[in-house]
Amino acid sequence: MNKSSIKIAYLYEDLMNTYGDSGDVKIIKFLLKKAGYETEVDNVSLGTNFDASKYDFVFFGGGQDLEQTVVAKDLPRHKQTLQKYIESGNPMLCICGGYQLLGSYYKTNAGITIKGLDIVPIHTVFKADKRMIGDTHYITQWGEVKAFENHSGQTYFDNDKLKPLGKMIEGYGNNPQDGVEGMRYKNLIGSYSHGPLLKNENIANALVDKIITRYHRRTEHAL
């Protein structure tokens, strides 16, 4: 690794990249380069050793039930390092399946329960009769967001530890009842927004600021 580069970990890039979620990482790289920073992206996949403390940003994209089942079996070995990274206030973005797997469980259409990392207090239930698909529009602390959603998993907060990423204007978001999209906890963001999400420059720039702050903190600590 080049010590002068910003380090990005892409969790299961080869399995969790539904609807072009890798676009979020490409946008982050573009904006960081524009700000004068080089980046390195590592694919953390099945069997890969992973120490989150060495990274400045962690990305976890979406996947179908099959891919999620495969990833869920490998993911628990990373729980401790991810939990420490998140609790330390470091930036992470999780989209759709990646968002779901940070919670306690995801119940599939077949009634199979996929255990998540149980890092954040959410759970997700697949509802075959209610596919939530289409354009979304919601308001966040950084302004409005327009994106696209396509999911049958309905996600619910299990306590008030979390804040929603945004309040829905158009679309479903987490579920048809709550009127909110995604979640925020410290500098962790979870969302159902594809498109990709970070085509919304207000969100992308806010995240880039957090990544740069993390980079300087990490590299200064290493001196």
Side-chain angles (χ1 to χ4, degrees), residues 47 84 87 103 105 118 126 143 146 161-163 170 178 182 192 203:
K84 184 176 181 181
E87 290 295 338
Y105 66 87
D118 204 19
F126 186 102
K146 293 184 178 180
K161 179 180 179 179
L162 308 177
K163 294 180 180 178
E170 178 186 359
D178 294 341
Y192 276 112
I203 304 294

Side-chain angles (χ1 to χ4, degrees), residues 30-215:
F30 172 80
L31 292 175
L32 285 169
K33 186 173 183 179
K34 188 176 178 182
Y37 294 89
E38 295 300 318
T39 58
E40 293 181 37
V41 181
D42 290 338
N43 174 25
V44 180
S45 193
L46 302 177
T48 305
N49 292 325
F50 175 53
D51 179 359
S53 69
K54 296 180 179 179
Y55 292 90
D56 305 302
F57 176 56
V58 177
F59 179 78
F60 198 3
Q64 303 297 325
D65 282 1
L66 175 60
E67 287 82 2
Q68 280 188 245
T69 302
V70 172
V71 168
K73 292 177 181 178
D74 187 70
L75 193 57
R77 63 196 180 90
H78 301 316
K79 177 175 179 175
Q80 185 175 4
T81 191
L82 283 172
Q83 193 161 29
K84 184 176 181 181
Y85 178 89
I86 291 166
E87 290 295 338
S88 296
N90 297 315
M92 181 172 180
L93 174 62
C94 302
I95 303 294
C96 202
Y99 169 31
Q100 295 166 351
L101 285 172
L102 286 190
S104 56
Y105 66 87
Y106 172 74
K107 186 170 286 186
T108 71
N109 188 38
I112 299 169
T113 298
I114 301 173
K115 290 185 178 180
L117 288 182
D118 204 19
I119 290 177
V120 292
I122 62 172
H123 71 275
T124 303
V125 179
F126 186 102
K127 302 279 186 163
D129 61 340
K130 189 63 177 179
R131 187 147 196 93
M132 292 163 283
I133 182 170
D135 293 331
T136 59
H137 183 195
Y138 54 93
I139 302 298
T140 75
Q141 73 170 87
W142 301 289
E144 70 174 3
V145 169
K146 293 184 178 180
F148 176 81
E149 65 182 346
N150 186 358
H151 59 107
S152 292
Q154 299 186 16
T155 295
Y156 298 89
F157 293 178
D158 294 325
N159 60 40
D160 58 2
K161 179 180 179 179
L162 308 177
K163 294 180 180 178
L165 172 60
K167 184 176 181 181
M168 299 304 298
I169 295 175
E170 178 186 359
Y172 296 98
N174 286 342
N175 59 66
Q177 297 84 37
D178 294 341
V180 297
E181 155 59 27
M183 66 90 185
R184 287 173 43 233
Y185 174 67
K186 296 190 175 183
N187 284 320
L188 166 66
I189 294 174
S191 176
Y192 276 112
S193 295
H194 300 286
L197 168 63
L198 297 184
K199 70 179 182 180
N200 295 274
E201 292 185 21
N202 49 342
I203 304 294
N205 286 325
L207 196 50
V208 163
D209 287 344
K210 295 178 187 298
I211 294 168
I212 292 172
T213 298
R214 159 63 179 169
Y215 165 72

Side-chain angles (χ1 to χ4, degrees), residues 20-28 59 93 95 196-199:
D21 289 335
S22 61
D24 285 315
V25 175
K26 292 175 183 177
I27 290 168
I28 288 291
F59 179 78
L93 174 62
I95 303 294
L197 168 63
L198 297 184
K199 70 179 182 180

